[in-house]
Amino acid sequence: MAAVRIDGKAHADELCARLAKEVAELAAKGVVPAIAVILVGEDPASQVYVRNKVRRAAELGIRSLEHRLPVSVSQEALLELVDRLNRDAEVHGILVQLPLPEHVDPQAVIDAIRPEKDVDGFTVQNAGRLAVGQPALVPCTPLGCLMLLKAHLGSLEGLEAVVVGRSNIVGKPMAQLLLRENCTVTIAHSKTRDLPRVCRRGDILVAAVGRPRFIRGDWIKPGATVIDVGINRISEGGGSRLVGDVDEASAARVAGAITPVPGGVGPMTIACLMYNTVAAARAQSGL
Ligand code: NAP
């Protein structure tokens, strides 16, 4: 039987509809949630991501303030901007679009963001809070994956979860979130031995590798729920298209459910940025 397709776009629209109501309630009390987005340079993919985030924010009534800086901007100037936004009471969230140019240390800039305004959840403080089980702003992509998993499976308690990838922005926080849900979690990476065997353990399999169609159907436990985080642009049939880290055609014959690419995790990532921004605005205004 073919796997159920988990519609990330529909889930994201539903979450955003709820958030729009919350934003209206906050606005009625004099608080308009606001996010500052810092974009350095002309990277086309980053420009698309920022455009999509700003568009979603506008739909929800969230104010966004774009700071576009030339690729030559100094780290010092970036830190000054972050400092100014940290002190601006009308800005509830600060997002630094990655990647930054090579002469800038991205973690230094990110860690300059006040943790309460770190709506991407990338600061060391928020990563640490998540790791020790304190309330934190959680990175948007793994948060979106978790929401999809819970919407589809209900309780995740006791399930075997395998996360392929250990980046700070996806794999590690994903594993922390699954652990918090009482899954038994395995994190796999490029040095993992016999990856297909490890993947087959997962009732839940999260792929965050960055390799097109890397995980095939025969690596998947029959009936597993597969979350495909990958976004890879490939050339095919004379054009180009986006594919995930999972080979959707073979995986869909084995898995119980799977997120498509595009239309799976991607829309949830942006919706969760809005979720974090509203949460940050609430926390900072005491509402
Ligand atoms: P990343 O920082 O490059 O991390 C990739 C991870 O995959 C690393 O931990 C790496 O292991 C592991 N890996 C690489 N080759 C492997 C192999 N042959 N076998 C097993 N593991 C392997 O990437 P990322 O930022 O986490 O992103 C992962 C994917 O998600 C990318 O396609 C990215 O575009 C996508 N993404 C999507 C969204 C979204 O909104 N949908 C958001 C963020 C990222 P090592 O640590 O050992 O090197």
Side-chain angles (χ1 to χ4, degrees):
M1 206 174 77
V4 171
R5 186 176 177 278
I6 300 176
D7 186 343
K9 167 104 180 40
H11 283 281
D13 286 345
E14 202 182 300
L15 173 58
C16 285
R18 271 202 334 262
L19 291 171
K21 283 191 193 138
E22 279 193 51
V23 171
E25 281 163 23
L26 284 170
K29 293 175 184 159
V31 176
V32 178
I35 181 170
V37 181
I38 301 175
L39 175 60
V40 179
E42 308 285 332
D43 177 58
S46 293
Q47 290 186 349
V48 172
Y49 290 140
V50 166
R51 202 182 317 135
N52 291 341
K53 290 168 186 174
V54 167
R55 191 186 301 146
R56 209 29 146 169
E59 282 168 18
L60 269 63
I62 294 174
R63 201 159 68 94
S64 52
L65 308 115
E66 278 184 74
H67 294 266
R68 289 174 178 263
L69 302 167
V71 72
S72 59
V73 70
S74 68
Q75 179 161 321
E76 198 184 7
L78 268 173
L79 291 173
E80 273 169 25
L81 174 58
V82 169
D83 182 50
R84 189 153 52 81
L85 296 169
N86 275 340
R87 286 185 280 108
D88 186 338
E90 290 190 0
V91 171
H92 307 101
I94 303 172
L95 180 152
V96 179
Q97 184 64 45
L98 299 176
L100 290 173
E102 285 207 339
H103 63 275
V104 177
D105 172 3
Q107 199 60 46
V109 175
I110 285 161
D111 282 335
I113 299 171
R114 266 179 54 194
E116 302 73 26
K117 296 194 177 192
D118 169 29
V119 284
D120 255 341
F122 291 167
T123 58
V124 165
Q125 287 94 333
N126 275 315
R129 286 176 189 174
L130 176 62
V132 298
Q134 286 178 9
L137 284 165
V138 173
C140 305
T141 299
L143 181 60
C145 294
L146 184 74
M147 287 181 184
L148 291 178
L149 282 167
K150 288 174 81 166
H152 183 67
L153 291 168
S155 168
L156 309 184
E157 186 162 310
L159 295 179
E160 289 271 355
V162 176
V163 179
V164 189
R166 55 173 165 182
S167 70
N168 290 336
I169 63 171
V170 189
K172 279 185 201 149
M174 184 76 250
Q176 299 282 4
L177 287 170
L178 291 164
L179 195 58
R180 203 172 73 178
E181 298 296 323
N182 295 322
C183 291
T184 301
V185 182
T186 303
I187 307 177
H189 46 76
S190 67
K191 306 291 184 285
T192 296
R193 289 188 191 157
D194 198 351
L195 186 61
R197 184 185 55 82
V198 172
C199 288
R200 275 193 290 270
R201 283 217 294 262
D203 302 306
I204 293 169
L205 179 62
V206 180
V209 188
R211 290 175 174 247
R213 296 176 178 147
F214 179 63
I215 291 174
R216 302 193 314 256
D218 58 352
W219 297 20
I220 294 170
K221 178 175 178 175
T225 303
V226 178
I227 303 290
D228 189 354
V229 181
I231 301 180
N232 309 287
R233 185 163 288 284
I234 60 160
S235 307
E236 203 171 70
S240 84
R241 60 175 296 209
L242 292 181
V243 298
D245 289 342
V246 178
D247 177 33
E248 207 172 322
S250 62
R253 288 195 286 272
V254 184
I258 187 166
T259 57
V261 177
V265 174
M268 281 305 284
T269 294
I270 296 185
C272 285
L273 177 66
M274 303 301 126
Y275 176 91
N276 279 349
T277 304
V278 172
R282 267 192 195 292
Q284 285 160 54
S285 59
L287 289 171

